[in-house]
Amino acid sequence: MHDKVGKLIRRRLSGNTRKKDDPTRAGVMISGWGNYGKTASVCSAGAVFEDQWLKLHSCLNPGALPGTRDLHAPVVYVSTPVTATPKSLCASILGFFRAPIRKAATLPELVRQVADSLHDHGVKALILDDISRLRMHRADDQDVLDLMRAFMSLDVTLILTGVNIPGIGLLREATWNKKTRQWEMPPLESTRIHGLEITQTEHRFELIELDCFRYITPKQIGAFVDHLAGIERHLRLLNAKDGMLTGGAMPEYLMRRTGGVVGLLGRLLEDGAHEAMESGKELIDESLLDEIVLRRDGPERPPDEPVIAADSADAKKAQRKRTKRSRNTVFDDHGPQAEAGA
């Protein structure tokens, strides 16, 4: 998944940075569930591009004004504000450059300041994380989406990341076609979001969906084991040995514990390495990882279930008495007996 994202971003940035007369630069959307490594993959690909771009231009901005050549930032990373508005998005981007913002600045002034900052710093890629915070039923969020599309005309490649992007309305309710392995957009049923402008979003962006590791086919197993081997090479435990994470039943154990989610896998092994050092064991194995609790780990019994000793006959009898239902006597006919007693 990491290589897939990196390849797409490199291809898109490579093409966009060579264009001269195209008024709009195509963008990229990275979608996936939590802890799937979206942000890490995008930032890693952005860092590789920035290093290559700076090396190509000797760490100088070829289009900068005199006195500003050292203010070169080819890649900008910004998190989408909570309950975003066009002004708050502009403020977040300007905050990356630590640019002063007037409290009384109007939206056109802020947009102009953002455009000037992107140009003066030689920005080629603008990464907007947590784009799934936008909800298309809010007018402000619709305006934010319009503003993002406007940024695409500033010689900047827009890279958006978020959870379940196809399902939040940015691209309408897209469906995944298993045969073509592509997201398909159904016919537009409503034009309530600024007319037909929502179609511009799906036409300007290429969507890629991140998934978790699988452990079914030999290719999937090999990819997961290769990932574990990479982690194993970077562990510096005194008693570490070859195959500590890749040998025996350890790959199956790690897959069972984390479900193949890369974020949970990293957290489990990070906590395991810390525990191995704290205990002096200096080795990661299943018995050590069994002591590490992940958020996905469920309780052995329901929280409200009482704990009953196995050898306690009285406790078992009391439990059966509590669970036994008494007979409902609401509809019993006591009429003749009542009359005789009267």
Side-chain angles (χ1 to χ4, degrees):
M1 292 296 103
H2 175 86
D3 294 338
K4 188 177 180 181
V5 171
K7 182 178 180 180
L8 174 60
I9 292 179
R10 288 193 300 271
R11 184 173 68 239
R12 183 64 60 243
L13 289 173
S14 177
N16 286 348
T17 52
R18 287 180 170 86
K19 294 180 179 179
K20 299 299 181 182
D21 300 325
D22 193 343
T24 303
R25 300 292 186 265
V28 177
M29 285 185 175
I30 312 298
S31 179
W33 296 107
N35 286 316
Y36 275 25
K38 301 181 298 298
T39 302
S41 298
V42 171
C43 289
S44 177
V48 172
F49 167 78
E50 182 170 285
D51 290 341
Q52 294 174 345
W53 186 262
L54 291 176
K55 184 178 180 180
L56 178 64
H57 297 284
S58 301
C59 296
L60 298 176
N61 182 4
L65 298 174
T68 63
R69 292 185 181 275
D70 59 334
L71 303 178
H72 194 187
V75 179
V76 172
Y77 172 87
V78 176
S79 182
T80 304
V82 180
T83 60
T85 64
K87 281 190 173 182
S88 67
L89 178 61
C90 290
S92 297
I93 297 174
L94 294 174
F96 178 89
F97 303 109
R98 301 186 183 278
I101 304 174
R102 289 194 310 109
K103 292 183 179 180
T106 63
L107 178 58
E109 292 174 342
L110 290 175
V111 173
R112 189 179 305 112
Q113 188 178 359
V114 169
D116 291 341
S117 295
L118 294 176
H119 176 269
D120 294 343
H121 290 82
V123 177
K124 296 302 178 183
L126 175 58
I127 301 174
L128 294 178
D129 201 0
D130 296 324
I131 195 65
S132 50
R133 290 174 176 172
L134 298 182
R135 292 294 184 268
M136 291 298 99
H137 66 276
R138 292 195 291 252
D140 285 340
D141 291 6
Q142 297 171 20
D143 295 336
V144 169
L145 182 59
D146 290 342
L147 180 60
M148 290 178 182
R149 284 198 295 262
F151 288 156
M152 301 177 74
S153 62
L154 301 177
D155 193 20
V156 173
T157 300
L158 210 58
I159 303 175
L160 310 181
T161 70
V163 176
N164 189 25
I165 288 179
I168 64 176
L170 292 180
L171 298 174
R172 293 184 275 151
E173 288 290 341
T175 56
W176 178 256
N177 190 318
K178 294 182 179 180
K179 294 182 179 180
T180 62
R181 301 190 62 80
Q182 296 287 336
W183 286 102
E184 294 182 349
M185 310 300 173
L188 190 63
E189 299 178 357
S190 173
T191 59
R192 63 182 182 275
I193 303 176
H194 297 304
L196 295 176
E197 292 182 5
I198 192 170
T199 60
Q200 296 181 13
T201 304
E202 60 192 46
H203 292 162
R204 292 183 180 183
F205 288 90
E206 185 171 353
L207 174 67
I208 184 172
E209 184 80 14
L210 281 182
D211 198 1
C212 59
F213 282 105
R214 305 293 180 182
Y215 207 80
I216 301 175
T217 66
K219 184 177 180 181
Q220 293 171 341
I221 296 174
F224 184 63
V225 173
D226 288 343
H227 183 71
L228 295 179
I231 298 176
E232 184 179 298
R233 286 194 297 269
H234 289 82
L235 288 176
R236 295 295 181 265
L237 298 176
L238 297 179
N239 296 327
K241 56 184 180 180
D242 293 338
M244 181 175 61
L245 301 181
T246 58
M250 181 60 78
E252 290 85 351
Y253 173 85
L254 294 174
M255 175 61 69
R256 184 173 65 255
R257 287 292 306 277
T258 65
V261 178
V262 65
L264 295 178
L265 176 65
R267 190 190 314 165
L268 176 63
L269 295 178
E270 179 182 349
D271 292 349
H274 181 79
E275 181 64 24
M277 291 183 290
E278 286 288 329
S279 63
K281 190 173 184 178
E282 294 291 340
L283 175 69
I284 293 179
D285 55 19
E286 293 186 21
S287 61
L288 183 139
L289 294 179
D290 284 339
E291 303 299 324
I292 307 298
V293 178
L294 288 177
R295 183 182 58 184
R296 293 169 59 95
D297 292 343
E300 296 180 359
R301 63 174 63 86
D304 57 347
E305 181 178 331
V307 180
I308 302 174
D311 57 348
S312 176
D314 294 339
K316 292 182 179 180
K317 183 177 180 180
Q319 175 66 9
R320 288 195 299 268
K321 185 177 180 181
R322 283 194 299 268
T323 57
K324 184 178 179 181
R325 297 181 61 183
S326 59
R327 187 174 64 86
N328 192 335
T329 60
V330 173
F331 298 103
D332 288 353
D333 185 8
H334 302 289
Q337 296 179 2
E339 292 177 359

